Amino acid sequence: MSSATPEEKYELITWRLQESLGGDILKGILAEGRSPKGYWGTAPTGRPHIGYFVPLIKIFDFLQADVEELLIRSVFKSLGIPTSKLQFKLGSDYELSKEFNMDHLRLCAIVTEHDAKKAGAEVVKQVDSGLLYPGMQALDEQYLGVDFQFGGIDQRKIFTFAEHYLPKLGYTKRAHLMNAMVPGLAGGKMSSSDPNSKIDFLDPPEVVRRKINAAFCAEGNVTENGVLALVKAVLIPVSQLRSENAARQGGSILDPSTCLDLKPFAADGAPKGTVFSIEPDPKFGGGPTLHYMNFKQLELDFAERRIHPGDLKRAVVNAINRLLDPIRKSFHADGEMQKIEKLAYPDIKKQKRV
Ligand SMILES: N[C@@H](Cc1ccc(O)cc1)C(=O)O
């Protein structure tokens, strides 16, 4: 995408986000013809769930706009996006250095307890050591040498904390880009630590079906609907990305060797540009297959009860299973990955029995 104008790149970097702060910082860098450098940090409290597709899709946009991207501790490979343009960093590789710690002490000397508590309110477990967390995340921006940090809107208070405090240490204020959170299937946000709120990358097909079937999704209700929210935040963006990719002959950065099925979530024979199809079951009234080019139209049809919740759920289960299938397959084919998963997420129930 090197031929794109700075304005086009800025548009690509910021579209689909819920909020961006400090956009002028990025515009300035792009206008100078430089590639902005950004990072996304993650510290999952449990097995990562499909809500993680939201930032991962966004990272794809960053790469397309020639952003240099750093990731902290994340699982990325199985998505078919080559990692050669990405750098992985472990926080502990630099957070233990003398310089980082000196800066952390300087920061601790000026941060009030009130500001530290407030910054971490949505992200950090409210224990005393949690007071140090926002400061470390703010300093990460300086020590990774980035122009912007990207994260969920739940990180907002830490981001504004960083904007306020880094300049007080003599460092530059960074831009902050935020994606919307995917609501949980049972209300609230989708959370790694609550298995009923989420669908894991590695949930088997029948578990996906059970969780979606149990999700709240009442006919005509588009405001509290975790299933529709998944279609909007994950399935349609992935589908769009896949159809754009299919259209972009040759220029794809997706690696077909790691993903088996990269077709959009459209029924066979769907009109061009379809990103989601729903095949009504005669059990719920039947009718011709419905094809959607965008979320708005689908949402409207659901609101006007032209889509039965049972039909929507079935289409969503199928799309999620198609999306997760290559990830599950590569996991089950890779003994090393399975060992790491066991070490990362030990079976707590079993441990208690011993
Ligand atoms: N706070 C992030 C994790 C994170 C940690 C350190 C960072 O520098 C950035 C992000 C989360 O809640 O998942």
Side-chain angles (χ1 to χ4, degrees), residues 39 41-43 72 123 133 137 140 149 155:
Y39 91 102
T42 177
I72 298 188
V123 171
Y133 187 116
Q137 186 162 341
D140 283 344
Q149 184 177 172
Q155 307 292 311

Side-chain angles (χ1 to χ4, degrees), residues 144-210:
L144 292 169
V146 295
D147 304 301
F148 72 87
Q149 184 177 172
F150 167 53
I153 194 88
D154 61 339
Q155 307 292 311
R156 193 180 194 284
K157 292 197 177 91
I158 295 186
F159 288 175
T160 52
F161 172 98
E163 291 188 9
H164 180 74
Y165 279 105
L166 279 195
K168 290 199 188 305
L169 295 180
Y171 298 140
T172 45
K173 174 172 137 179
R174 270 57 183 209
H176 291 100
L177 308 180
M178 288 159 269
N179 63 254
M181 307 307 291
V182 180
L185 295 172
K189 78 173 173 183
M190 191 173 275
S191 162
S192 300
S193 41
D194 175 5
N196 287 322
S197 78
K198 59 162 185 169
I199 290 170
D200 279 2
F201 283 158
L202 296 174
D203 276 348
E206 60 282 7
V207 173
V208 171
R209 176 163 299 112
R210 174 168 56 70

